[in-house]
Amino acid sequence: MTIQVGDKIPQGGFKIMGENGPEDISTDAVFAGKKVVFFAVPGAFTPGCSMTHLPGFVVNADAIKSKGVDTIACLSVNDAFVMGKWGEAQNAEEVLMLADGNGDFTRAIGLDMDASGFGMGTRAQRFGMIVEDGKVTHLAVEAPGEIKVSSAEALMAEL
Protein backbone atom coordinates (compact mmCIF):
# COMPACT_ATOMS: atom_id res chain seq x y z
CA MET A 1 0.00 0.00 0.00
CA THR A 2 1.28 3.46 -0.90
CA ILE A 3 1.98 5.91 1.90
CA GLN A 4 -0.62 8.67 2.18
CA VAL A 5 -0.89 12.16 3.64
CA GLY A 6 -1.34 11.74 7.39
CA ASP A 7 0.74 8.56 7.58
CA LYS A 8 3.91 8.28 9.64
CA ILE A 9 7.17 7.50 7.88
CA PRO A 10 7.97 3.83 8.60
CA GLN A 11 10.95 2.90 10.72
CA GLY A 12 13.97 2.05 8.67
CA GLY A 13 17.21 3.44 7.47
CA PHE A 14 19.37 4.67 4.66
CA LYS A 15 23.05 4.96 3.87
CA ILE A 16 24.84 8.26 3.45
CA MET A 17 28.39 8.90 2.37
CA GLY A 18 30.53 9.92 5.34
CA GLU A 19 34.14 11.05 5.50
CA ASN A 20 35.34 7.45 5.88
CA GLY A 21 32.79 5.69 3.69
CA PRO A 22 29.12 4.69 3.90
CA GLU A 23 27.33 5.34 7.18
CA ASP A 24 23.91 4.33 8.46
CA ILE A 25 21.26 6.95 9.16
CA SER A 26 17.85 6.07 10.59
CA THR A 27 14.52 7.42 9.49
CA ASP A 28 14.19 8.95 12.96
CA ALA A 29 17.46 10.85 12.50
CA VAL A 30 16.17 12.25 9.20
CA PHE A 31 12.54 13.00 10.11
CA ALA A 32 11.88 13.08 13.88
CA GLY A 33 11.23 16.58 15.17
CA LYS A 34 12.01 18.16 11.80
CA LYS A 35 10.28 19.66 8.79
CA VAL A 36 11.73 17.87 5.76
CA VAL A 37 11.31 18.40 2.03
CA PHE A 38 11.87 14.86 0.76
CA PHE A 39 12.04 13.86 -2.87
CA ALA A 40 13.01 10.74 -4.78
CA VAL A 41 14.50 10.17 -8.19
CA PRO A 42 14.64 6.99 -10.26
CA GLY A 43 18.41 7.15 -10.67
CA ALA A 44 21.42 9.27 -9.84
CA PHE A 45 23.24 10.67 -12.86
CA THR A 46 20.24 10.03 -15.14
CA PRO A 47 19.30 12.93 -17.46
CA GLY A 48 16.07 14.25 -15.91
CA CYS A 49 17.34 13.75 -12.40
CA SER A 50 20.67 15.47 -13.09
CA MET A 51 19.53 18.26 -15.40
CA THR A 52 16.24 19.23 -13.76
CA HIS A 53 15.11 17.53 -10.56
CA LEU A 54 18.08 17.72 -8.17
CA PRO A 55 19.38 21.06 -9.54
CA GLY A 56 16.07 22.72 -8.67
CA PHE A 57 16.60 21.86 -5.01
CA VAL A 58 20.25 22.92 -5.10
CA VAL A 59 19.42 26.33 -6.58
CA ASN A 60 16.43 26.89 -4.28
CA ALA A 61 17.90 25.45 -1.06
CA ASP A 62 18.09 28.79 0.75
CA ALA A 63 14.55 29.75 -0.26
CA ILE A 64 13.23 26.36 0.83
CA LYS A 65 15.00 26.52 4.18
CA SER A 66 13.75 30.08 4.72
CA LYS A 67 10.24 28.58 4.88
CA GLY A 68 11.09 26.69 8.07
CA VAL A 69 12.48 23.55 6.46
CA ASP A 70 15.20 21.84 8.49
CA THR A 71 16.33 19.32 5.87
CA ILE A 72 16.12 18.82 2.13
CA ALA A 73 16.61 15.12 1.39
CA CYS A 74 16.99 13.27 -1.90
CA LEU A 75 16.46 9.50 -2.10
CA SER A 76 17.41 7.09 -4.83
CA VAL A 77 17.67 3.32 -5.05
CA ASN A 78 21.41 3.56 -5.55
CA ASP A 79 24.36 2.88 -3.27
CA ALA A 80 25.95 5.45 -0.97
CA PHE A 81 29.04 5.74 -3.17
CA VAL A 82 26.94 6.75 -6.18
CA MET A 83 24.76 9.13 -4.15
CA GLY A 84 27.84 10.73 -2.61
CA LYS A 85 29.55 11.30 -5.96
CA TRP A 86 26.32 12.53 -7.56
CA GLY A 87 25.84 15.02 -4.73
CA GLU A 88 29.41 16.26 -5.21
CA ALA A 89 28.96 16.56 -8.98
CA GLN A 90 25.76 18.57 -8.46
CA ASN A 91 27.16 20.83 -5.68
CA ALA A 92 24.36 19.53 -3.47
CA GLU A 93 25.94 20.48 -0.12
CA GLU A 94 22.54 21.57 1.23
CA VAL A 95 20.81 18.33 0.21
CA LEU A 96 21.02 15.14 2.28
CA MET A 97 21.73 12.40 -0.27
CA LEU A 98 20.03 9.21 0.94
CA ALA A 99 20.90 5.84 -0.56
CA ASP A 100 18.23 3.15 -0.42
CA GLY A 101 20.51 0.58 -2.03
CA ASN A 102 18.22 -2.42 -1.80
CA GLY A 103 15.00 -0.42 -2.16
CA ASP A 104 13.75 -1.53 1.27
CA PHE A 105 12.45 1.89 2.31
CA THR A 106 11.01 2.59 -1.14
CA ARG A 107 9.06 -0.70 -1.03
CA ALA A 108 7.93 0.01 2.55
CA ILE A 109 6.25 3.24 1.41
CA GLY A 110 4.82 1.61 -1.72
CA LEU A 111 6.55 3.92 -4.18
CA ASP A 112 8.78 1.40 -5.96
CA MET A 113 8.59 0.73 -9.69
CA ASP A 114 9.90 -1.82 -12.11
CA ALA A 115 12.49 -0.12 -14.31
CA SER A 116 13.92 -3.38 -15.65
CA GLY A 117 12.85 -2.35 -19.14
CA PHE A 118 15.56 0.31 -18.88
CA GLY A 119 18.06 -2.12 -17.32
CA MET A 120 17.67 -0.47 -13.92
CA GLY A 121 15.80 -3.11 -11.89
CA THR A 122 13.53 -1.90 -9.12
CA ARG A 123 13.74 1.84 -8.48
CA ALA A 124 11.86 4.60 -6.70
CA GLN A 125 9.09 6.39 -8.50
CA ARG A 126 9.74 10.11 -8.84
CA PHE A 127 7.94 11.80 -5.95
CA GLY A 128 8.11 14.68 -3.54
CA MET A 129 6.74 15.01 -0.06
CA ILE A 130 6.75 17.28 2.93
CA VAL A 131 7.22 15.48 6.23
CA GLU A 132 6.71 17.17 9.59
CA ASP A 133 7.96 15.32 12.68
CA GLY A 134 7.76 12.02 10.80
CA LYS A 135 4.23 12.59 9.45
CA VAL A 136 3.53 13.09 5.73
CA THR A 137 1.73 16.42 5.24
CA HIS A 138 2.03 16.59 1.44
CA LEU A 139 2.66 13.91 -1.18
CA ALA A 140 3.06 14.34 -4.93
CA VAL A 141 3.84 11.37 -7.17
CA GLU A 142 4.87 12.14 -10.74
CA ALA A 143 3.32 10.69 -13.85
CA PRO A 144 5.89 8.70 -15.84
CA GLY A 145 8.43 10.92 -17.57
CA GLU A 146 7.39 14.13 -15.79
CA ILE A 147 9.05 16.45 -13.30
CA LYS A 148 6.27 18.80 -12.26
CA VAL A 149 4.50 18.08 -8.98
CA SER A 150 7.69 16.96 -7.22
CA SER A 151 9.89 19.83 -8.41
CA ALA A 152 11.51 22.24 -5.98
CA GLU A 153 9.18 24.98 -7.14
CA ALA A 154 6.05 22.85 -6.68
CA LEU A 155 7.07 21.73 -3.19
CA MET A 156 8.00 25.30 -2.19
CA ALA A 157 4.48 26.36 -3.14
CA GLU A 158 3.13 23.81 -0.63
CA LEU A 159 5.24 25.07 2.30
Side-chain angles (χ1 to χ4, degrees):
M1 186 169 115
T2 303
I3 197 165
Q4 300 292 317
V5 169
D7 289 349
K8 294 287 275 180
I9 293 290
Q11 292 292 312
F14 311 101
K15 296 277 188 190
I16 57 172
M17 202 59 194
E19 287 184 27
N20 298 312
E23 299 176 359
D24 293 323
I25 186 169
S26 70
T27 51
D28 280 347
V30 175
F31 298 106
K34 299 175 186 167
K35 185 173 191 176
V36 180
V37 168
F38 179 51
F39 68 103
V41 299
F45 290 105
T46 59
C49 305
S50 291
M51 293 187 304
T52 304
H53 209 182
L54 178 57
F57 290 93
V58 171
V59 169
N60 290 295
D62 290 340
I64 292 167
K65 289 189 172 184
S66 76
K67 294 180 174 267
V69 171
D70 298 296
T71 305
I72 303 167
C74 175
L75 172 133
S76 186
V77 179
N78 284 111
D79 62 67
F81 295 100
V82 168
M83 291 301 284
K85 287 296 183 188
W86 188 43
E88 286 178 22
Q90 294 284 323
N91 298 310
E93 294 89 14
E94 296 296 318
V95 179
L96 182 61
M97 303 299 283
L98 300 173
D100 184 21
N102 296 324
D104 296 336
F105 178 83
T106 301
R107 272 189 302 283
I109 63 171
L111 288 170
D112 54 315
M113 69 172 186
D114 180 2
S116 58
F118 300 103
M120 297 169 64
T122 300
R123 295 295 177 115
Q125 294 181 51
R126 188 181 306 279
F127 68 82
M129 64 173 73
I130 299 169
V131 181
E132 297 186 45
D133 192 22
K135 182 179 173 184
V136 178
T137 60
H138 175 76
L139 173 64
V141 180
E142 292 288 0
E146 293 189 351
I147 305 173
K148 294 178 182 175
V149 299
S150 68
S151 70
E153 296 78 10
L155 291 178
M156 281 193 320
E158 296 296 330
L159 292 170

